[in-house]
Amino acid sequence: MESEIVISGMSGRFPESDNIAEFSQNLFNKVDLLTEDNRRWEPGLYGLPRKMGKLKDISKFDSQFFGVHPKLAHVLDPQTRILLELTYESIVDAGYDPVELRGKNVGVFIGNSSSESDEFYCCDPKKITEFSLTGSGRIMLANRLSYTFDFKGPSFVMDTGCSSGALALYEAVRAIQSNECEAAIVGAAHLCLKPGAALLLNRSNVLSDDGVCKPFDAAGNGYARSEAIVALLLQKSYVSRRKYASIVHIKTNTDGFKEQDIAFPSAAMQKRLIKEVYDECKLNPSKVSYVEAHGTGTTVGDPVEMSAISEVFCPGRENPVLVGSVKSNMGHSEPASALCGLAKLVITMEKSLIPPNLHFYKPNPNIKALVDDQVRIVTNPTPLEGDYAALNSFGIGGVNVHAVLKSNTTERKPTQLEELPIPQLVLYSGRTKEGVQYLFDYLQNEVPPREFFALLHKSVYSSSVKKPYRGYKLLVKDQEVSEIKVY
């Protein structure tokens, strides 16, 4: 359908994972991405949990490439720096040269809850400069992207706590549907640079003492904090050059008043939202093969969410509904968590295989649907049966978001070099010779879908002066035929 909105490009940084491919490999290999080290602060400081999910390296940035003044680069929020990189990467991943989108009506929608670097740069009055406001202010998480890439559409940051990234996705979809913008960058960012926020959460009894996230398990005792930054490009289907998945429908609501507390989730409102999503898009919930849940491992949140999920998805099914939460693998990245779940869904749909949950051994006895085997947690790589999958998210203030996605059913084979019926020519251009060679080496081991080669060739014909290295490679078994030159 021409009006269909698709995810056409995606990029991300996750704990111990510099990109989507590495993240995918870690998920399927059951790697626990929570680590104990002093990259942020000494483990156990102030009695905090010793383990946390952290990005590998946040110290580097090519300020010249992005046109950022060196003095500004020193006070630029690392969240902004990485969002600039990921926005570029997601556009390229969609098959575009960023130059092609300059001056276009592209929106930017970012989910974020804090800028700890802003607090740091402004704590000493003597160190505040004319660059501090435009360098570390939270508004720049979105506006800096619009400025750098010359996007003319809506541009703002939103904060609904843990559902911030999901709400950014909702706002972007709505803006494209209403023709406020022709495409959108959706992003979310979360870095844990200072122990203050962790201390606040720990004293609120929401963090796991052992620094392990155990969603839906009887031993669940809170969540482990984590960092993540994600960006994706949304477009209408008919103009996209790549289609990871279609967003069938997405909707949000808010709990409103609750007798218990503002932070206590509402099963009734989550159930209402989920039901409305499927009623409005006229899709039977039984068609959904997998639900990526919010699933933090807290004693209150998991039973409430699973109650809503089971009441909508379980009726009329012959087999249990499959559920998982990426927080079991990487911890809870708070405002970025929903887009991490979305990245996992894209990985699932691309491979037609659901990555496994970690730390699930015994069902939480307070989750009846689990005990009765109406819902099943995915603990081993499991084939995705069907085209539809769902994403559920809710925030501490009561903002709920639910989305249903449909996979791209394009034939994705062959996947091995020897399966190619004839040699495949590959053209590519990049900033460095090493970058072009890296891609060629990658293709020697894993052959992507044929549509991917068209995107690579497009990069050569539309490449800007920032990508002067051009090369070709002939994919043929047991031979090395390639050349790279600078122009």
Side-chain angles (χ1 to χ4, degrees), residues 221-233:
N221 59 344
Y223 71 79
R225 299 190 80 210
S226 184
E227 302 176 339
I229 304 180
V230 184
L232 54 103
L233 178 64

Side-chain angles (χ1 to χ4, degrees), residues 84 87 91 98-108 142-153:
L84 283 167
T87 297
I91 294 171
V99 172
E100 295 180 80
L101 299 184
R102 292 191 69 85
K104 302 288 187 181
N105 191 29
V106 177
V108 179
N143 296 168
R144 174 68 59 183
L145 303 184
S146 299
Y147 169 80
T148 300
F149 295 97
D150 193 23
F151 297 149
K152 305 298 187 182

Side-chain angles (χ1 to χ4, degrees), residues 451-471:
E451 63 177 10
F452 184 74
F453 295 108
L455 300 184
L456 296 182
H457 298 176
K458 182 76 175 177
S459 78
V460 175
Y461 297 123
S462 63
S463 63
S464 64
V465 293
K466 291 186 177 181
K467 296 194 290 183
Y469 287 88
R470 301 187 179 193

Side-chain angles (χ1 to χ4, degrees), residues 33 38 46 56 72 78 90 104 171 209 269 289 309 316 334 432 435 463:
L33 299 172
N38 62 356
Y46 305 133
K56 287 183 181 179
L72 174 60
S90 65
K104 302 288 187 181
E171 291 291 350
D209 293 337
M269 291 307 296
S289 304
I309 287 173
E334 295 164 10
T432 64
S463 63

